[in-house]
């Protein structure tokens, strides 16, 4: 009897051959959709980070410290708001935040966000030392999570 059950079990196996070109095409199309979704999520994240900083919030979603008295006086003399540290005197530094790389590394997709020009990077680092602002705060992470859900629905068609 045992021999008969093993034989019956063997008949339950099937061998299927697939066209690997179709699978490779599907993988390329899926990768393109995932990359586009990651670009969208990263762009949303950058926009949300800029809004947070323009509102005077740091990396912990707390209020950034005031500008130094001398900078505050100088900025005010140029007709600018000094009620909050918003790092937006010209807008160049926040405008220079961009996606610097998106690539697939093994099984994972990685988006790198940085600051595009050397002068803006220098100003950003100076301000980062005063009060960390560059990166994703808890509120930014919440927005990123929502953006990921939206984009993944687009990728899988749901």
């Amino acid at each position: 009897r045992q021999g008969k059950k093993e034989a019956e079990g063997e008949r339950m196996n099937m061998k299927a051959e697939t066209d690997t070109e179709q699978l490779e095409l599907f993988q390329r199309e899926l990768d393109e959709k995932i990359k586009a979704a990651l670009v969208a999520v990263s762009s949303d994240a950058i926009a949300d980070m800029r809004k947070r900083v323009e509102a005077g919030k740091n990396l912990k979603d707390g209020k950034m410290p005031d500008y130094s008295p001398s900078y505050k006086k100088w900025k005010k003399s140029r007709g600018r708001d000094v009620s909050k540290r918003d790092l937006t005197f010209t807008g160049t530094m926040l405008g220079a935040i961009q996606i610097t790389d998106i690539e697939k590394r093994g099984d994972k997709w990685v988006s790198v966000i940085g600051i595009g020009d050397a002068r803006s990077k220098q100003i950003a680092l100076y301000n980062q030392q005063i009060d960390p602002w560059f990166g994703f705060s808890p509120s930014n992470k919440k927005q990123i999570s929502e953006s990921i859900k939206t984009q993944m629905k687009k990728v899988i068609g749901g």
Side-chain angles (χ1 to χ4, degrees):
R1 283 193 184 238
Q2 195 170 10
K4 189 175 181 182
K5 283 187 180 180
E6 287 175 4
E8 287 174 3
E10 288 177 28
R11 285 185 278 183
M12 296 303 293
N13 294 330
M14 295 186 343
K15 183 177 180 183
E17 292 187 20
T18 58
D19 181 357
T20 57
E21 278 185 41
Q22 285 179 325
L23 289 175
E24 288 169 1
L25 177 62
F26 176 73
Q27 182 64 54
R28 282 194 302 274
E29 288 174 1
L30 185 60
D31 281 347
E32 286 173 19
K33 286 181 177 184
I34 291 171
K35 184 175 183 178
L38 189 52
V39 167
V41 169
S42 299
S43 297
D44 288 348
I46 290 169
D48 199 54
M49 179 173 43
R50 285 179 182 145
K51 284 180 197 169
R52 173 181 49 80
V53 173
E54 289 169 358
K57 304 284 183 172
N58 63 21
L59 197 51
K60 294 180 180 177
D61 289 321
K63 182 183 179 291
M64 283 196 248
D66 289 339
Y67 292 115
S68 70
S70 60
Y71 185 77
K72 196 179 217 181
K73 183 179 176 182
W74 179 84
K75 189 175 178 180
K76 191 173 186 173
S77 74
R78 281 150 179 81
R80 302 311 213 104
D81 178 23
V82 294
S83 64
K84 65 181 183 283
R85 181 187 203 95
D86 60 11
L87 310 182
T88 60
F89 185 75
T90 66
T92 303
M93 181 189 70
L94 292 180
I97 299 171
Q98 62 189 18
I99 301 167
T100 58
D101 189 25
I102 290 188
E103 67 180 7
K104 190 172 184 181
R105 296 180 186 167
D107 292 343
K108 296 181 181 182
W109 279 92
V110 177
S111 173
V112 179
I113 295 171
I115 299 177
D117 67 86
R119 178 74 179 130
S120 293
K121 194 178 288 188
Q122 187 178 31
I123 295 167
L125 287 169
Y126 171 79
N127 281 289
Q128 184 79 356
Q129 290 172 347
I130 293 170
D131 190 27
W133 63 273
F134 184 81
F136 300 124
S137 72
S139 66
N140 295 142
K141 289 175 184 175
K142 187 174 182 180
Q143 181 278 331
I144 290 167
S145 179
E146 291 303 313
S147 184
I148 288 169
K149 288 176 190 173
T150 300
Q151 292 302 320
M152 286 300 103
K153 285 179 185 174
K154 290 179 183 179
V155 168
I156 59 174

